[in-house]
């Protein structure tokens, strides 16, 4: 499963669970209190035993320790409050109708009477055999069965046989011809006395992620099973599953776990993904650039302006990209220079030279940060701070930069009258750039280099360094981040989302998730975000072929952002290589792929450790 599509995949996998969480908001007033029970402190030990009732590990399974307590916790979150905002009534109704259509049942209406018969733990699993494996019979009518044995199981714990009977009677029975997920779903009730003993719990279940609700999947196996299902099934085309299948690269990931904890208004998440041993593509090399043991962040934070709306810090080794490094550098240059330059000069031999930016790689240590802040004038002030090697004197580095940048068509000269950093004057561009960096300014100091989007951004930089208002000052009392982070990202959503959302709405762009068009009713009014988004923070680390991302945000699935950026970077590298190969082969490049652009979010290709 490609990480780029994880957000879509997680959405498909967790939809039914989020429906249950939202049931408290959508059910009729007072209806959800029927049979309401207090959380049982023993359920944490019970969930692994419920998972052990599966004959083998499901392809994907969602589990929660006490499904009855989830709606109450979810109701305290800002995300639920946004769903219940009066201005979003039409959108919530459309969302509920969409979910009910895909699920084949009105979950909010079913939940109140259904939940009072539960003991607490519950799981929702996608179960099935891989191609070539022995198919197991399932209790779904023959005319409704898919070509293989892939099906969904809602497995719940009940106190007695009577409760099990009541639940089976309440479980909806899909009519003939129904094309919803209910068609291939079944309810499995497990009596408390039937639970496997603690010593029978398999390793995968005993290592279940901690959280109010969690997802565990084997993406490579899931991809193979779903691929066979879609290739052989003509009448089982579910939109929500097709959405999850888009752009899936099943060979990339061996394991995936995602846990969510509802802590008041915010949602805390932890995502762990393990690359498959067979994954030896651009994505695996992009992941390998992340430093496993990054140096302390203090020096980098002290060189980065504070009081910004978005801040990213990273520590990586660009040379770990190996054969993909030239394509990565070409993609970056084409994005910065634009399509006109790309079409006229981007495929010339000098632009494709592997050593074109070797002078920058020799200086880089791999530690860098990016901060940005939109202004009332509508522009964005952005600053990139990078730790550089300082074996040479700064004057020699400055002279070399001017010479080498001119060789690649980017002329800089001393910016007259500008503030100096120490004794070093900045370099101003003698050309007009595109995007954010319209009038770049380069600042230099022993061991450091800064790229500012404009002279105004350079003024922000020098003011912050002079007054000490840097990220280091802001982070003194911060205990959120982890010491082994290779990437950190913080965004003031209250400021950024409103501006970005308004600009996107005014642009008239068609809202889509993959190839699926988002209905206009689902788009909220900007006021729905007022005082509900707060600050979003997420970090990412690597150990071998395992990535761990964690986040704290007002919206779910935020831990998928940084791994998704890595996937986007890998895709951009591959697209750039294919575009170049087509041009060199004298084939007319596809108009949409001549100059593949890096996503507007910062592309994270990690760099070497910070020098002390």
């Amino acid at each position: 499963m490609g990480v780029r599509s994880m957000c879509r995949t997680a959405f498909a996998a967790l939809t039914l669970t989020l429906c249950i969480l939202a049931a408290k908001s959508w059910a009729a007033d007072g209806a959800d209190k029927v049979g309401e029970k207090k959380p049982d402190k023993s359920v944490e030990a019970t969930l692994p035993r419920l998972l052990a009732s599966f004959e083998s590990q499901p392809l994907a399974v969602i589990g929660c320790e006490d499904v009855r307590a989830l709606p109450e916790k979810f109701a305290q979150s800002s995300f639920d409050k946004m769903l219940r905002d009066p201005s979003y009534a039409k959108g919530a109704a459309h969302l509920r109708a969409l979910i009910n259509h895909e699920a084949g049942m009105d979950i909010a209406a079913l939940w109140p009477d259904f939940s009072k018969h539960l003991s607490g733990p519950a799981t929702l699993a996608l179960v099935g055999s891989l191609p070539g494996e022995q198919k197991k019979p399932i209790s779904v009518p023959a005319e409704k069965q898919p070509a293989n044995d892939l099906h969904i199981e809602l497995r719940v714990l009940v106190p007695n046989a009577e409760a099990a009977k009541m639940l089976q009677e309440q479980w909806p029975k899909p009519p003939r011809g129904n094309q919803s997920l209910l068609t291939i779903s079944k309810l499995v009730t497990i009596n408390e006395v039937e639970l496997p003993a603690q010593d029978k719990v398999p390793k995968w279940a005993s290592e279940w992620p901690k959280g109010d609700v969690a997802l565990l999947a084997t993406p490579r196996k899931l991809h193979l099973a779903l691929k066979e299902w879609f290739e052989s099934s003509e009448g089982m085309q579910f939109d929500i599953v097709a959405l999850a299948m888009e752009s899936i690269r099943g060979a990339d990931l061996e394991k995936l776990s995602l846990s969510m904890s509802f802590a008041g208004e915010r949602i805390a998440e932890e995502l762990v993904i393990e690359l498959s041993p067979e994954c030896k593509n651009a994505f695996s090399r992009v992941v390998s650039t992340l430093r496993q043991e990054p140096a302390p962040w203090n020096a980098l934070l002290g060189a980065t302006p504070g009081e910004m709306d978005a801040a990213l810090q990273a520590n990586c080794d660009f040379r770990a990209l190996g054969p993909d490094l030239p394509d990565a550098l070409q993609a970056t240059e084409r994005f910065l220079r634009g399509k006109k330059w790309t079409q006229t000069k981007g495929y010339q031999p000098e632009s494709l030279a592997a050593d074109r930016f070797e002078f920058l790689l020799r200086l880089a240590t791999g530690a860098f940060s990016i901060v940005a802040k939109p202004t009332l004038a509508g522009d964005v002030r952005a600053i990139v701070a990078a730790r550089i090697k300082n074996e040479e004197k700064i004057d020699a580095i400055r002279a070399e930069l001017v010479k080498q940048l001119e060789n690649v068509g980017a002329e800089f000269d001393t910016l007259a009258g500008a503030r100096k950093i120490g004794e070093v004057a900045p370099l101003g561009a003698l050309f007009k750039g595109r995007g954010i960096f319209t009038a770049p300014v380069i600042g230099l100091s022993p061991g450091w280099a800064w790229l500012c989007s404009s002279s105004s951004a350079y003024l922000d930089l020098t003011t912050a360094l002079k007054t000490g208002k840097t990220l280091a000052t802001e982070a003194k009392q911060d205990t959120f981040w982890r010491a082994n982070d290779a990437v950190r990202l913080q965004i003031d959503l209250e400021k950024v989302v409103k501006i970005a959302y308004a600009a996107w709405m005014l642009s008239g762009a068609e809202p889509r998730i993959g190839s699926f068009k988002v209905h206009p009713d689902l788009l909220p009014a900007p006021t729905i975000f007022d005082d509900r988004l707060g600050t979003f923070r997420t970090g990412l680390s690597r150990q071998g072929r395992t990535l761990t991302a964690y986040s704290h945000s007002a919206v779910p699935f935020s831990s998928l952002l940084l791994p998704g950026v890595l996937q986007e970077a890998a895709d951009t590298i591959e697209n750039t290589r294919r575009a170049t190969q087509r041009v060199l082969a004298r084939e007319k490049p596809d108009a949409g792929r001549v100059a593949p652009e890096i996503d507007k979010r910062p592309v994270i290709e990690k760099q070497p450790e910070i020098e002390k």
Side-chain angles (χ1 to χ4, degrees):
M1 181 187 297
V3 185
R4 180 168 62 86
S5 63
M6 278 187 190
C7 190
R8 295 193 291 269
T9 304
F11 170 76
L14 288 173
T15 294
L16 295 182
T17 299
L18 291 179
C19 287
I20 293 174
L21 297 181
K24 183 177 181 65
S25 304
W26 289 336
D29 291 342
D32 58 334
K33 296 185 181 296
V34 177
E36 191 173 279
K37 299 179 181 180
K38 294 182 178 180
D40 185 348
K41 294 183 179 179
S42 66
V43 295
E44 183 174 351
T46 308
L47 178 58
R49 295 173 62 197
L50 179 61
L51 292 166
S53 66
F54 287 97
E55 293 185 11
S56 59
Q57 182 177 351
L59 298 171
V61 57
I62 301 166
C64 53
E65 297 170 352
D66 193 341
V67 70
R68 302 161 306 175
L70 278 176
E72 186 64 35
K73 289 185 176 182
F74 184 69
Q76 303 302 315
S77 68
S78 293
F79 186 67
D80 181 73
K81 293 174 182 177
M82 285 188 281
L83 288 176
R84 291 187 287 113
D85 190 288
S87 67
Y88 195 61
K90 191 175 181 179
H94 187 93
L95 181 61
R96 176 177 175 173
L98 176 65
I99 292 172
N100 288 343
H101 171 74
E102 297 289 353
M105 68 180 89
D106 190 335
I107 299 175
L110 174 69
W111 178 248
D113 290 334
F114 193 85
S115 61
K116 66 183 181 181
H117 300 296
L118 304 178
S119 293
T123 63
L124 183 68
L126 185 62
V127 182
S129 304
L130 294 179
E133 290 184 346
Q134 181 68 34
K135 310 301 185 194
K136 300 175 182 178
I138 59 175
S139 57
V140 175
E143 69 274 11
K144 298 182 184 297
Q145 289 186 22
N148 61 13
D149 64 343
L150 199 67
H151 64 285
I152 297 170
E153 288 187 14
L154 175 60
R155 191 164 292 215
V156 298
L157 192 64
V158 295
N160 49 52
E162 182 180 354
K165 180 180 178 182
M166 293 293 294
L167 289 177
Q168 291 293 352
E169 291 177 352
Q170 293 173 5
W171 187 250
K173 308 300 187 292
R176 184 180 297 274
N178 183 278
Q179 293 295 308
S180 68
L181 292 176
L182 183 62
T183 308
I184 56 166
S185 302
K186 67 174 182 176
L187 172 67
V188 179
T189 57
I190 306 293
N191 198 313
E192 293 179 3
V193 298
E194 299 173 343
L195 281 176
Q198 191 66 42
D199 59 357
K200 299 296 183 181
V201 175
K203 182 179 179 181
W204 69 268
S206 64
E207 296 177 348
W208 185 257
K210 298 298 181 183
D212 292 317
V213 60
L215 163 70
L216 184 63
T218 53
R220 184 172 59 85
K221 295 180 180 179
L222 177 62
H223 169 76
L224 293 174
L226 288 176
K227 181 180 180 182
E228 183 192 38
W229 185 32
F230 273 92
E231 288 177 350
S232 59
S233 174
E234 296 181 358
M236 309 293 292
Q237 298 299 319
F238 300 109
D239 287 349
I240 200 168
V241 183
L243 182 64
M245 280 294 293
E246 277 202 352
S247 303
I248 283 181
R249 298 166 62 165
D252 282 359
L253 300 183
E254 191 70 24
K255 297 178 182 178
L256 178 150
S257 69
L258 173 64
S259 63
M260 291 184 182
S261 298
F262 300 100
E265 295 184 345
R266 300 289 176 260
I267 302 173
E269 295 180 16
E270 178 147 325
L271 170 72
V272 180
I273 57 178
E274 180 182 325
L275 270 66
S276 166
E278 289 80 18
C279 181
K280 299 178 181 179
N281 52 21
F283 177 58
S284 67
R285 288 187 284 274
V286 169
V287 168
S288 70
T289 64
L290 304 182
R291 289 288 188 181
Q292 297 189 77
E293 297 180 359
W297 294 90
N298 296 343
L300 181 62
L301 296 177
T304 306
E307 299 182 345
M308 291 290 186
D309 295 336
L312 177 143
Q313 303 98 52
N315 201 326
C316 59
D317 178 7
F318 288 126
R319 295 191 185 277
L321 284 171
D324 293 328
L325 182 57
D327 299 299
L329 293 173
Q330 289 166 22
T332 304
E333 184 175 20
R334 293 172 189 178
F335 168 70
L336 292 174
R337 290 183 180 272
K339 291 183 179 180
K340 183 177 180 180
W341 179 90
T342 299
Q343 292 170 348
T344 57
K345 299 182 179 180
Y347 299 99
Q348 297 298 320
E350 58 270 19
S351 298
L352 299 177
D355 61 349
R356 181 171 173 82
F357 291 101
E358 181 62 28
F359 68 98
L360 291 178
L361 295 173
R362 285 199 306 267
L363 286 175
T365 65
F368 70 93
S369 65
I370 303 173
V371 293
K373 184 175 185 177
T375 68
L376 294 177
D379 63 327
V380 177
R381 295 181 183 178
I383 302 170
V384 180
R387 186 71 185 265
I388 62 175
K389 298 173 184 177
N390 55 2
E391 290 90 350
E392 304 176 62
K393 292 184 178 180
I394 193 64
D395 289 341
I397 292 177
R398 187 178 187 277
E400 181 71 7
L401 271 180
V402 171
K403 177 182 177 181
Q404 296 294 345
L405 286 171
E406 183 178 359
N407 290 339
V408 297
E411 296 183 47
F412 283 82
D413 201 354
T414 301
L415 193 60
R419 290 181 181 176
K420 296 181 179 180
I421 301 177
E423 298 298 323
V424 185
L427 299 172
L430 301 181
F431 59 89
K432 287 292 183 181
R434 64 181 296 273
I436 295 176
F437 293 89
T438 54
V441 176
I442 297 176
L444 291 168
S445 180
W448 294 97
W450 294 269
L451 175 63
C452 304
S453 60
S454 62
S455 57
S456 297
Y458 178 75
L459 182 61
D460 290 340
L461 168 66
T462 55
T463 299
L465 296 177
K466 182 178 180 179
T467 60
K469 293 182 178 180
T470 64
L471 290 183
T473 303
E474 296 178 2
K476 282 184 177 179
Q477 305 300 323
D478 198 337
T479 59
F480 174 79
W481 305 110
R482 301 177 183 179
N484 64 339
D485 291 340
V487 185
R488 293 174 178 177
L489 174 63
Q490 178 171 309
I491 303 175
D492 187 342
L493 295 181
E494 291 290 336
K495 298 178 181 178
V496 174
V497 167
K498 290 181 181 179
I499 295 176
Y501 187 74
W504 177 74
M505 292 287 285
L506 291 172
S507 71
E510 188 176 56
R512 287 183 174 273
I513 300 178
S515 62
F516 290 80
K517 184 178 179 181
V518 178
H519 195 279
D521 286 349
L522 294 175
L523 300 176
T527 55
I528 199 175
F529 304 127
D530 290 346
D531 300 322
R532 286 174 176 157
L533 294 177
T535 299
F536 160 63
R537 296 192 291 182
T538 180
L540 179 69
S541 62
R542 177 178 75 91
Q543 287 299 319
R545 299 177 70 82
T546 300
L547 290 174
T548 300
Y550 63 102
S551 67
H552 191 257
S553 178
V555 295
F557 310 127
S558 54
S559 60
L560 295 157
L561 177 59
L562 290 179
V565 171
L566 296 182
Q567 181 67 74
E568 291 288 353
D571 290 345
T572 299
I573 289 171
E574 292 175 344
N575 290 341
T576 300
R577 182 186 303 115
R578 285 194 289 267
T580 300
Q581 290 172 346
R582 286 197 298 268
V583 172
L584 296 181
R586 298 185 182 279
E587 296 178 4
K588 185 177 180 180
D590 183 89
R593 303 232 180 177
V594 171
E597 295 189 357
I598 296 177
D599 194 286
K600 302 302 183 191
R601 299 167 294 182
V603 174
I604 303 173
E605 289 137 350
K606 303 216 94 176
Q607 311 175 20
E609 298 180 7
I610 302 171
E611 295 180 349
K612 296 183 179 178

